[in-house]
Amino acid sequence: MASQGHYAQEIDVVSAVTCDNSSVVRCKRFAIKRSGAAEDLSVDDDFIGLGELPETFPSDPPEPLPVFLMEPEEAYIVKNKPVNLYCKATPATQIYFKCNSEWVHQKEHTVEERVDENSGLVVREASIEITRQQVEELFGPEDFWCQCVAWSSAGTTKSRKAHVRIAYLRKTFDQEPLGKEVSLEQEVLLQCRPPEGIPVAEVEWLKNEEIIDPAEDRNFYITIDHNLIIKQARLSDTANYTCVAKNIVAKRRSTTATVIVFVNGGWSTWTEWSVCNSRCGRGYQKRTRSCTNPAPLNGGAICEGQGIQKLACNPLCPVDGLWTEWSKWSTCGTECTHWRRRECNAPAPKNGGKDCEGMVLQSKNCTDGLCMQSSFYQKSSEAKDMIDLENSLAPSTDDVALYVGIVIAVIMCLVISVVVALFIYRKNHRDFDSDIIDSSALNGGFQPVSIKTARKADLLTAPPDLTSAAAMYRGPVYALHDVADKIPMTNSPLLDPLPNLKIKVYNSSGLVTPQDDLGGEFSSKLSPKLQHCLMDNGENTLGRRTQTQTLMRARDPSCTALGSFSSQGGHLIVPNSGVSLLIPAGAIPQGRVYEMYVTVQRKDNLRPVVDDGQTVLSPVVSCGPPGALLTRPVIITMHHCAVCDGQQDWLIQLKSQSPQNKWEDVVVVGEENFTTPCYIQMDDEACHILTETLGTYCLVGQTLSAATTKRLKLAIFGPVTCPAMEYHIRVYCLDDNQDALKEVLQMEKQMGGKLLDEPKTLNFSDSTHNLRLSIHDVPHTLWKSKLLAKYQELSFQQVWSGSQRNLHCCFTLERFSSSTLDLNCKICVRQVEGEGQIFQLDTTLSEDSQSIDTSLLDPASNITTLVGPNAFRIPVSIRQKLCGSLDAPQTRGNDWRMLAHKLNLDRYLNYFATKSSPTGVILDLWEAQHFPDGNLSRLAQVLEEMGRHDSLVPAAGEH
């Protein structure tokens, strides 16, 4: 009945058209056309008198659809003041408002009409008034809205919806800034969450009642969530700060937060040591410093330690020299004299004391005057020195012996060196002239044979006797020289074509050790020719199964899924990683069974190396077996961290790893053509790769503008228990994909860590600015931070490239008492000049506290393999019916192309057109997108919108 009422109202509006004489025919046709019931409308008498009229008039061209020159705008009712909505359209014979799907009465409209001087078309302008009562009387989930509708003879045009809301602003702030005392150059964070309001309140900050403009003072930064950050606190930043929220209704002020920037005192440099205060004997000397570098300010801590240092000193007293007693007289000489001497060493002069005064030598006549010469003289100190110098220049017997010993030692060293060199030369010559007992050791255990093409077929069927060969050889294997009948060792990879073998190998101690599963190690030493020979004869199910098992033994089971699949297909899921492999029914040839796997490569050296401006957007995912024959595309699903709001900001490439471990470009998203082997469907958080080639893949993004953004996942961990006085907080900055977080959770569990707060997402832009991490509001009476700097930073390239996994910073806090068990603080992580996140930590240092959630850590708790029809949401019968119905082109266009359009999978339809069943590939992609909870009701609704509702309606009850 409601729809009939609306229909009647619409007819009333149309019948209200007023026609002047020049446009009477046009208005008549318009009224009949818009009513939708021309046969029921009675023609006005004015038209009857005109008789039969021609179908068209040459001077009267058809009118275009109305175009809005003005559309109604969003409006807010402040207190009880009504609002007016306006709209203007041309050409328009009628213009009316519809509010909440109901027509507004004609009497409530104010309509103005004029003719545009340039175009000659009729311009109509309408306005209505909306009161607070009308808005409050509306009940329902949707806000009050109005829409303008304009008519012309060509049809109708609707304006956009304009919502009318009652404006308000609550009085209480959700969070007010808190005052704090900070040290000089420390980063300051003041938080503010404005009151709830409509429209949303704008926020500004006041510093001592003056508006803060970050453009003028670059030391201030206001985040998108209205927090104020002082990058490096200055003395001038000591002030009162107020958060102000305002909208069209009111203006609210938060409580004032006082920020005091204090300066801790610092010592000046020490002065030089003073002179000892005692010239002789025990005394002291001192040096001083002052607490003026800088002086404590605004309650800053005074300097710790002493301002004066004293050092004991004991300057030596001077000692004057004194003579010893005279020696006895010498015998009488040829000159009729004899001598005696004395020394100045009783004591000798020291510490600046005076030298002895007087003669050192004394002589006199010893013949009682019989000789003519008798004198007393003094031998000078210079003559004595000359005598000593002559004595020192004369070579001694000890010096000669020393020189002889050195010469003999050098000769002995030369002789020993020659003997050693000769011994080494003869030993090497003997080794190269001899051969090992069993030459089969050179080829990994085969008897010396000549590998020829004619014998390739017998190589696997008749393996050599490896045990006999191994039993004769002891020691390591070395390829000493090339021999034509031996298989050279190489490092080229081989996918284990041999079955599991058990041989005996002697180790260095002579003990026999059984070696299992030589496929991986042994094949890596075989030559490429032999590998090719073995692969040609190993393409059977057993060989592939052995190959896959060998490859998978080295994988981490928590990031790997493995299963056996036939032509019925199935699904491999790596638990809690966002990575899966969908094998559609019919992808594996009929009658074959493949051992298939999908794994996430977590080693940094397996990730592609990126250039400047590039970033790794997804985990590295391998699936196999490589080289397997597929008859239709499989779908690899993995998470990515690109923010794709603007596709023009990214150039995303799919890369694959070649057998030589080189990364090669496969396709650029959006540039697929008939020659590209893959198709990529990009969703908000995941990408789906359709390919018939199994291998190793990864997404790499190239930035095209500074607005390009990728998502980071931030996670904070701390120890479960903390017996030590130090407490370590680890902040991880990861690419936002499930496997990266899962890996960190597993690692932290092994380290005894726990999540301190829920992980948060941060948009990181290509602005070349670093990622800054800082800790705030640490209770200084209980804890102290051991971070010397004010904050930590991760370089832009480290974060943006995505080549380094588990990127993190660590904050170390030390508690003053072991009885302190609670920690409350904040950690701010933000990109400089960009977005940020704040973590509120409230943790307890006890074993009873809740540890990290282990649901993401246990792979056995989740299904990893689904085989056959149970792996798919759409039943086989319904799928066959859909493919048979939609694959064939329809004249109405409601075939597989419309299905792709309705499911938003129509970016490159030519890819589906090249497949034998386009509908089947589209449904496969839908299955991968909506695993595990695909909504069949939504799919049925899409088919009903296409006019093909009969194709899937039974599916909901059948599945």
Side-chain angles (χ1 to χ4, degrees):
M1 292 299 294
S3 60
Q4 293 178 0
H6 294 163
Y7 183 72
Q9 289 180 354
E10 190 167 347
I11 294 177
D12 291 340
V13 172
V14 174
S15 62
V17 176
T18 59
C19 303
D20 54 24
N21 294 331
S22 62
S23 59
V24 62
V25 175
R26 186 168 56 213
C27 289
K28 173 185 175 182
R29 291 177 180 166
F30 170 69
I32 295 174
K33 176 180 180 182
R34 293 307 305 163
S35 67
E39 64 276 11
D40 297 331
L41 292 178
S42 58
V43 181
D44 197 333
D45 294 338
D46 294 338
F47 303 124
I48 299 176
L50 294 177
E52 219 176 285
L53 295 176
E55 292 294 330
T56 60
F57 291 88
S59 61
D60 191 16
E63 286 183 337
L65 283 172
V67 176
F68 280 96
L69 306 177
M70 178 193 301
E71 295 188 79
E73 301 286 344
E74 301 283 320
Y76 299 94
I77 296 178
V78 179
K79 298 182 178 178
N80 292 319
K81 296 179 181 179
V83 297
N84 292 316
L85 300 181
Y86 300 91
C87 68
K88 183 190 301 183
T90 182
T93 55
Q94 286 289 354
I95 186 167
Y96 286 97
F97 274 94
K98 178 188 291 187
C99 293
N100 301 312
S101 302
E102 295 184 0
W103 291 104
V104 178
H105 197 278
Q106 183 178 3
K107 295 180 180 179
E108 299 177 10
H109 286 78
T110 301
V111 180
E112 295 182 4
E113 177 183 346
R114 63 181 178 84
V115 177
D116 187 88
E117 297 179 356
N118 297 324
S119 63
L121 298 176
V122 177
V123 178
R124 288 184 181 271
E125 180 176 354
S127 65
I128 60 172
E129 184 179 85
I130 305 297
T131 64
R132 182 187 184 103
Q133 182 179 359
Q134 289 177 272
V135 177
E136 290 178 341
E137 287 177 352
L138 176 68
F139 293 95
E142 192 175 11
D143 291 333
F144 189 96
W145 60 268
C146 292
Q147 186 179 41
C148 196
V149 182
W151 285 270
S152 73
S153 60
T156 62
T157 303
K158 296 180 180 180
S159 72
R160 64 167 174 261
K161 291 181 179 180
H163 291 87
V164 180
R165 300 179 177 91
I166 298 175
Y168 69 93
L169 183 63
R170 300 195 186 280
K171 295 182 179 181
T172 306
F173 280 75
D174 291 343
Q175 183 173 11
E176 294 187 292
L178 301 175
K180 56 184 64 179
E181 297 180 356
V182 296
S183 61
L184 191 68
E185 296 184 353
Q186 181 179 341
E187 185 177 80
V188 183
L189 172 66
L190 296 177
Q191 292 182 273
C192 174
R193 289 210 301 269
E196 179 186 349
I198 294 178
V200 177
E202 298 178 356
V203 173
E204 61 184 13
W205 282 87
L206 303 180
K207 175 184 176 183
N208 292 335
E209 301 304 320
E210 294 184 359
I211 297 177
I212 296 175
D213 186 1
E216 294 181 359
D217 191 344
R218 304 285 293 180
N219 196 44
F220 291 104
Y221 176 70
I222 300 177
T223 65
I224 58 174
D225 48 356
H226 313 304
N227 297 323
L228 176 65
I229 292 177
I230 305 175
K231 299 176 182 178
Q232 288 185 323
R234 305 160 296 191
L235 288 176
S236 60
D237 294 327
T238 298
N240 294 324
Y241 293 86
T242 308
C243 180
V244 179
K246 60 181 179 180
N247 64 6
I248 60 177
V249 178
K251 187 183 209 179
R252 311 291 186 204
R253 292 169 57 96
S254 70
T255 56
T256 299
T258 302
V259 174
I260 298 176
V261 181
F262 61 83
V263 179
N264 293 324
W267 290 111
S268 64
T269 57
W270 288 102
T271 61
E272 297 293 332
W273 287 103
S274 66
V275 180
C276 189
N277 66 343
S278 175
R279 295 186 59 190
C280 177
R282 176 172 296 181
Y284 69 89
Q285 56 187 146
K286 67 178 180 178
R287 63 177 183 175
T288 61
R289 60 179 179 175
S290 60
C291 188
T292 57
N293 187 32
L297 189 64
N298 292 340
I302 61 175
C303 302
E304 295 181 359
Q306 300 297 324
I308 299 176
Q309 277 187 344
K310 291 185 177 181
L311 186 66
C313 58
N314 190 12
L316 299 176
C317 297
V319 178
D320 296 336
L322 295 177
W323 292 110
T324 61
E325 297 293 331
W326 288 103
S327 65
K328 293 181 179 181
W329 291 102
S330 65
T331 58
C332 192
T334 57
E335 296 179 354
C336 301
T337 60
H338 59 174
W339 307 81
R340 67 176 182 177
R341 65 180 298 151
R342 59 182 178 178
E343 301 291 341
C344 186
N345 58 8
K350 59 182 179 180
N351 302 330
K354 297 179 181 179
D355 203 352
C356 300
E357 295 181 358
M359 297 179 295
V360 177
L361 295 176
Q362 187 183 39
S363 67
K364 73 175 181 176
N365 193 294
C366 58
T367 58
D368 295 330
L370 296 180
C371 290
M372 294 299 295
Q373 183 175 357
S374 176
S375 63
F376 287 93
Y377 66 94
Q378 178 180 1
K379 189 173 184 179
S380 66
S381 60
E382 289 85 355
K384 182 175 181 293
D385 293 341
M386 290 299 295
I387 294 171
D388 293 341
L389 179 61
E390 291 175 358
N391 291 337
S392 64
L393 292 176
S396 65
T397 305
D398 294 340
D399 293 339
V400 173
L402 176 63
Y403 296 148
V404 172
I406 292 175
V407 171
I408 293 174
V410 170
I411 294 174
M412 291 298 294
C413 290
L414 292 174
V415 172
I416 292 173
S417 300
V418 171
V419 172
V420 171
L422 181 61
F423 175 78
I424 293 174
Y425 171 78
R426 295 188 63 184
K427 183 177 181 301
N428 293 340
H429 183 70
R430 181 176 64 251
D431 288 346
F432 276 94
D433 285 343
S434 62
D435 200 357
I436 59 178
I437 297 176
D438 184 14
S439 61
S440 64
L442 295 178
N443 54 48
F446 284 104
Q447 298 292 343
V449 294
S450 180
I451 304 299
K452 299 181 180 178
T453 305
R455 297 188 56 188
K456 288 181 180 179
D458 301 331
L459 195 57
L460 286 178
T461 57
D465 186 3
L466 299 180
T467 56
S468 62
M472 296 179 62
Y473 177 68
R474 299 169 185 264
V477 177
Y478 298 97
L480 302 180
H481 50 79
D482 293 334
V483 181
D485 60 346
K486 297 176 182 177
I487 303 172
M489 294 184 180
T490 69
N491 292 324
S492 58
L494 185 64
L495 298 179
D496 187 21
L498 294 175
N500 293 340
L501 303 175
K502 294 185 179 180
I503 68 171
K504 297 178 181 179
V505 176
Y506 286 91
N507 55 27
S508 58
S509 63
L511 299 177
V512 180
T513 305
Q515 301 290 330
D516 296 339
D517 190 19
L518 293 184
E521 299 177 359
F522 175 71
S523 62
S524 65
K525 300 180 175 63
L526 297 181
S527 68
K529 292 183 179 180
L530 181 59
Q531 293 178 24
H532 180 70
C533 167
L534 297 179
M535 288 297 292
D536 287 346
N537 294 277
E539 293 182 354
N540 51 49
T541 304
L542 178 61
R544 281 193 299 269
R545 182 174 302 172
T546 307
Q547 165 193 331
T548 305
Q549 291 174 350
T550 304
L551 288 173
M552 298 313 302
R553 283 191 179 97
R555 308 292 185 191
D556 183 356
S558 67
C559 57
T560 301
L562 175 68
S564 300
F565 297 93
S566 65
S567 60
Q568 290 185 334
H571 211 153
L572 284 175
I573 307 101
V574 180
N576 304 301
S577 66
V579 175
S580 64
L581 175 65
L582 180 72
I583 305 104
I588 298 176
Q590 193 71 28
R592 295 195 181 186
V593 176
Y594 288 171
E595 288 279 352
M596 305 189 73
Y597 66 87
V598 59
T599 184
V600 182
Q601 306 286 2
R602 288 182 172 174
K603 295 182 179 179
D604 285 337
N605 59 357
L606 296 178
R607 298 170 73 82
V609 179
V610 296
D611 301 328
D612 291 341
Q614 290 185 330
T615 176
V616 178
L617 296 176
S618 74
V620 177
V621 177
S622 298
C623 56
L629 175 64
L630 300 173
T631 56
R632 64 184 298 169
V634 297
I635 303 175
I636 306 168
T637 298
M638 63 179 79
H639 274 208
H640 67 82
C641 58
V643 178
C644 298
D645 294 340
Q647 291 282 356
Q648 68 276 8
D649 294 337
W650 281 106
L651 189 148
I652 299 177
Q653 292 178 316
L654 177 67
K655 290 180 175 285
S656 67
Q657 194 174 37
S658 67
Q660 292 76 28
N661 296 328
K662 293 183 179 180
W663 285 96
E664 301 173 345
D665 296 339
V666 179
V667 64
V668 176
V669 177
E671 298 182 8
E672 294 93 340
N673 54 46
F674 288 103
T675 62
T676 52
C678 297
Y679 172 79
I680 303 174
Q681 176 67 31
M682 295 289 295
D683 294 339
D684 291 339
E685 296 183 355
C687 71
H688 311 277
I689 304 169
L690 284 74
T691 180
E692 297 179 18
T693 305
L694 301 179
T696 300
Y697 294 96
C698 181
L699 282 184
V700 173
Q702 175 75 45
T703 61
L704 300 179
S705 72
T708 308
T709 304
K710 65 181 289 186
R711 293 188 312 274
L712 301 180
K713 182 67 74 175
L714 308 176
I716 297 186
F717 290 85
V720 174
T721 58
C722 184
M725 301 298 287
E726 291 185 348
Y727 188 81
H728 303 282
I729 301 173
R730 293 175 292 278
V731 184
Y732 289 86
C733 305
L734 315 169
D735 288 343
D736 186 16
N737 61 70
Q738 286 188 17
D739 185 72
L741 180 59
K742 173 183 172 182
E743 181 182 4
V744 170
L745 288 170
Q746 290 174 318
M747 183 176 64
E748 283 290 335
K749 181 182 181 182
Q750 295 175 354
M751 294 169 56
K754 67 175 181 179
L755 269 173
L756 300 182
D757 198 0
E758 289 295 326
K760 298 180 184 294
T761 301
L762 174 68
N763 286 341
F764 190 80
S765 64
D766 184 21
S767 62
T768 70
H769 289 298
N770 296 342
L771 189 68
R772 180 172 295 178
L773 302 92
S774 55
I775 188 166
H776 303 269
D777 300 342
V778 178
H780 295 292
T781 58
L782 303 176
W783 297 83
K784 71 174 181 179
S785 173
K786 303 193 73 174
L787 180 66
L788 298 180
K790 306 300 180 185
Y791 52 79
Q792 301 185 66
E793 282 192 352
L794 295 173
S795 70
F796 170 80
Q797 190 59 32
Q798 276 183 302
V799 179
W800 185 258
S801 67
S803 298
Q804 185 176 349
R805 298 178 64 83
N806 305 334
L807 193 63
H808 70 281
C809 285
C810 184
F811 293 94
T812 301
L813 302 177
E814 183 178 3
R815 49 182 171 170
F816 298 123
S817 171
S818 58
S819 61
T820 302
L821 297 178
D822 295 326
L823 173 61
N824 297 277
C825 62
K826 295 176 183 177
I827 290 183
C828 178
V829 183
R830 66 179 181 89
Q831 186 178 16
V832 178
E833 308 296 337
E835 294 188 18
Q837 288 284 7
I838 297 174
F839 291 88
Q840 178 67 56
L841 304 188
D842 184 3
T843 184
T844 302
L845 284 63
S846 63
E847 297 183 2
D848 298 335
S849 60
Q850 185 177 2
S851 185
I852 57 177
D853 182 11
T854 59
S855 62
L856 297 179
L857 306 179
D858 184 11
S861 64
N862 301 90
I863 298 174
T864 61
T865 306
L866 297 172
V867 180
N870 292 330
F872 308 103
R873 288 286 295 162
I874 304 175
V876 176
S877 59
I878 299 300
R879 173 185 289 269
Q880 293 174 350
K881 184 176 180 181
L882 285 173
C883 293
S885 175
L886 300 179
D887 280 346
Q890 300 290 326
T891 55
R892 295 174 53 193
N894 57 346
D895 49 22
W896 63 269
R897 292 167 296 182
M898 183 178 289
L899 177 65
H901 174 74
K902 292 286 187 180
L903 298 178
N904 296 320
L905 304 177
D906 56 342
R907 182 175 58 79
Y908 182 62
L909 290 176
N910 287 338
Y911 176 82
F912 303 106
T914 59
K915 306 304 175 185
S916 59
S917 176
T919 307
V921 178
I922 292 172
L923 295 178
D924 293 339
L925 184 52
W926 182 88
E927 292 268 9
Q929 277 185 312
H930 298 86
F931 179 83
D933 50 358
N935 190 347
L936 291 182
S937 299
R938 170 58 186 153
L939 187 58
Q941 182 181 352
V942 168
L943 292 168
E944 187 173 359
E945 293 174 0
M946 295 171 53
R948 310 299 291 267
H949 58 277
D950 56 329
S951 300
L952 191 63
V953 168
E958 186 175 326
H959 192 64

